[in-house]
Each structure stands twice: as C-alpha cells, then as structure tokens.
Amino acid sequence: MSTVVAERWGTVVAMRTSGAPESGTARTRKTLQRDSIARVLRASERFRTAQEIHAQMMLDGEPVGLTTIYRHLQLFVDEGVVHTVQLDDRQTAYRWCGHSAHHHHLVCRNCGVSRELADEEFEARAAVVAEGQGFTELSHNFEVFGLCPTCQR
Amino acid sequence: MSTVVAERWGTVVAMRTSGAPESGTARTRKTLQRDSIARVLRASERFRTAQEIHAQMMLDGEPVGLTTIYRHLQLFVDEGVVHTVQLDDRQTAYRWCGHSAHHHHLVCRNCGVSRELADEEFEARAAVVAEGQGFTELSHNFEVFGLCPTCQR
DNA sequence: ATATCTGCAAAGACTTTGCAACCTT
DNA sequence: AAGGTTGCAAAGTCTTTGCAGATAT
C-alpha cells in the first residue's frame, strides 16, 4: 500500500495516498488507539518523541502500547501528515502538520514548539547550488533551532 | 578540556582548542591509532560511519578497535576538524573538513561523496526568518542530498 | 614513572519484529 | 468470518562505558 524508498544517504519518500486503497488491498482501520494518537499529536504544535507521546498518553489515562505508537507514527509519516526531525541524541521527533506540502521547521530547542517555514528562496537556492555541482535528484534537510519567545524568559 | 553543551533540541557545541591545553591539563597523545584514523578520514571526501571506517581499516591491515574509532571521531568533532551528518537510519556519518568554519554539505546519497557548501545567503535568510518569529540563539542544520555526477551513470 | 590510550566485554537507549489474542469491517 | 491491529516479550543496532593491560611523554 505504501511505497517508501529509503536510501542510505538522504531519504526519498513516496507518499502514500491513504484514502485510495490500491487494487484489492486492505485499508487502514479506524481504531481507538489510532484516533488517540492522532488527537494527541494534533493537540500540540511541538515535535515530540514516540516515548514522550507514550508517557503523556499513559498519564492522560489513554494507555496505548509503545509499539502501537511507533507503528502509527510511521503510518502518519507515510501519509505525509506527520513530519519528523532527527534529534541529536539519535531519537526521532514527530509533529502533526496535517499536510504533505514541502516545508521546514523553526524549532525551540528548549520546549520543542515549532513553526512551519515555507521559503521558496531556500528551495531555489538549494537547487541552484547543487545543480551547479552536477548533482541531480536533489532533496534536502533543513531545520532551524532556537529559543522561542516563551523560553527566553 | 573540551566543553560540549548538548541540548535536547538542536546542539550548541563549544569548540575545543586542541593545540592549547588549559592550565595544567593533559594533552591528547599522539598514537598510531589516532594517526591511522585521521589518515583514513583525510583520504576521502566522503561521509563515512564509524562502522564503515572500522571495516575499511580492518581490510587495510590497520586493525583499530571500534571503540577507539568512536572516541577519536568525537575528539576530532570537538576540535572542529571533522563534521557530521545524521543519516536517516539513525547513524552518524563523519567527514574530515580540516577546519571549523561554518558550512554545509552537498552529499551524494549513493556513495557519500560530498562538497562543501558555504553560502552566506542561506545563513542570512535563516537568521531573518527565525528572528522574525521572535526566536533567538539560533543554529541550524542544512544538508543537500543528491546523486553525484559519477553515480548518475 | 605516570597519566593517557586501547580494546574487549557488557551495558544502554531507542526502535523493530514475532506472535497470539483481539477487534473492525 | 477474515484480516488488520494490539502489545508483551525478545531481538536488533548503533554507541557508550568499565576496566585491566599497553603505551606515549
């Protein structure tokens, strides 16, 4: 159903069109766990790790297995509605964006709050510089970290 | 000797001045292993993982423990002469740059070969966009991946 | 002579997989 | 009824740490 082409250096992800199941293939089922996870993600503009999401759900009285959380996060990422950031300590943080349009993030390194950054000039320059070196099939990572207004106090 | 301030979201690394030991502190010793690792890194313009470097050294008849490789890579990073990139599969890849001036990389996702990118406009735009949102103490990640001329064939 | 360096073994941390019971459709 | 879903336990990976013997200065 989903086609993810992950390569060693940089990743190329083919989005999966969640609503339109392929010929004779099963659909993703609607379950309490899936809904809970989506709700928690949508409720905050922060990047959270799977473990943090799990801990919060346990506290909130919505116990969902860590395994299930990892699985749905990956499904959401495949669908393009959740975006990720690699933390320095080798963890992956997830954030609900609700759409799969290409963009980047400005992330608070203290609390994880983030804003979306969609700057066409970045994209253009990245392409120009890379193509100037003869590289093709480009993709890129770009994240800005800083202290958000709230965490500056 | 080295001061590394690693925060959860994004990293702030205080360079360590390798040549000038602090008051009464010991210096890094010159050893065969350290030299071998540095030589291997300098010999290629690629980003390599610790495990790849280890494998190559074993094949090259320069057996050095994986532990030692990890330790020296970290020392080189602290000194600023080696830069890193986080791979999608959660590994860290290292590349000898020889200097600690701020820059980014254009990396071939097939073979890891890379070119340095030093584009002041990127830096400027990143700062402007982020400050416009009220964020301070900025830092950022930026890497472009693609297929190098050689790997396109 | 002594503090650092090496590297094996073991520990750590996050994430993935096997599998039997469970729940949507 | 059929097949996706759940979650515990176990496995997997990369990286770090403990420690005793080896080594650079």
Side-chain angles (χ1 to χ4, degrees), chain B residues 29-32 50-51 66-67 70-71 90-92:
Chain B
R29 287 180 179 172
K30 174 180 173 59
T31 64
L32 290 174
Q51 314 255 357
L66 188 53
T67 305
Y70 273 113
R71 282 195 277 235
R90 216 166 304 107
Q91 288 185 76
T92 300

Side-chain angles (χ1 to χ4, degrees), chain A residues 67-130:
Chain A
T67 305
T68 301
I69 291 176
Y70 274 112
R71 283 196 276 235
H72 280 299
L73 286 174
Q74 190 52 59
L75 287 174
F76 289 141
V77 169
D78 290 346
E79 290 167 20
V81 294
V82 162
H83 290 210
T84 64
V85 165
Q86 289 301 314
L87 268 45
D88 296 304
D89 53 355
R90 217 167 306 108
Q91 286 185 78
T92 299
Y94 305 78
R95 178 190 194 269
W96 185 274
C97 290
H99 66 280
S100 54
H102 181 80
H103 64 273
H104 301 285
H105 293 92
L106 168 58
V107 186
C108 176
R109 73 165 61 85
N110 184 233
C111 68
V113 153
S114 65
R115 310 282 168 75
E116 293 192 7
L117 294 181
D119 189 312
E120 297 192 7
E121 285 196 39
F122 274 124
E123 317 302 327
R125 273 199 89 67
V128 169
V129 174

Side-chain angles (χ1 to χ4, degrees), chain B residues 48-55 66 69-70 73 91-94:
Chain B
R48 329 284 294 276
T49 63
Q51 314 255 357
E52 287 169 349
I53 293 168
H54 179 240
L66 188 53
I69 292 176
Y70 273 113
L73 285 174
Q91 288 185 76
T92 300
Y94 305 79

Side-chain angles (χ1 to χ4, degrees), chain B residues 79-101:
Chain B
E79 289 167 21
V81 294
V82 163
H83 290 210
T84 64
V85 164
Q86 289 302 313
L87 268 44
D88 296 303
D89 52 356
R90 216 166 304 107
Q91 288 185 76
T92 300
Y94 305 79
R95 178 190 194 270
W96 185 274
C97 291
H99 67 280
S100 55

Side-chain angles (χ1 to χ4, degrees), chain A:
Chain A
M1 170 183 294
S2 69
T3 308
V4 178
V5 182
E7 305 200 35
R8 186 79 207 264
W9 303 87
T11 305
V12 177
V13 179
M15 295 300 179
R16 110 177 180 160
T17 46
S18 68
E22 294 166 24
S23 60
T25 312
R27 271 218 315 272
T28 299
R29 286 181 179 170
K30 174 179 172 60
T31 64
L32 290 174
Q33 289 87 341
R34 182 181 172 88
D35 289 346
S36 291
I37 297 168
R39 194 179 326 119
V40 169
L41 285 170
R42 269 190 288 248
S44 98
E45 291 185 314
R46 295 157 195 255
F47 271 94
R48 329 283 295 273
T49 63
Q51 314 256 354
E52 287 169 348
I53 292 168
H54 179 241
Q56 185 195 318
M57 295 185 76
M58 295 303 269
L59 292 175
D60 289 355
E62 293 192 300
V64 175
L66 187 54
T67 305
T68 301
I69 291 176
Y70 274 112
R71 283 196 276 235
H72 280 299
L73 286 174
Q74 190 52 59
L75 287 174
F76 289 141
V77 169
D78 290 346
E79 290 167 20
V81 294
V82 162
H83 290 210
T84 64
V85 165
Q86 289 301 314
L87 268 45
D88 296 304
D89 53 355
R90 217 167 306 108
Q91 286 185 78
T92 299
Y94 305 78
R95 178 190 194 269
W96 185 274
C97 290
H99 66 280
S100 54
H102 181 80
H103 64 273
H104 301 285
H105 293 92
L106 168 58
V107 186
C108 176
R109 73 165 61 85
N110 184 233
C111 68
V113 153
S114 65
R115 310 282 168 75
E116 293 192 7
L117 294 181
D119 189 312
E120 297 192 7
E121 285 196 39
F122 274 124
E123 317 302 327
R125 273 199 89 67
V128 169
V129 174
E131 285 164 358
Q133 301 269 6
F135 279 56
T136 59
E137 297 187 40
L138 307 173
S139 63
H140 57 253
N141 298 330
F142 179 54
E143 286 100 34
V144 180
F145 293 94
L147 278 185
C148 72
T150 302
C151 290
Q152 284 168 38
R153 305 193 192 107

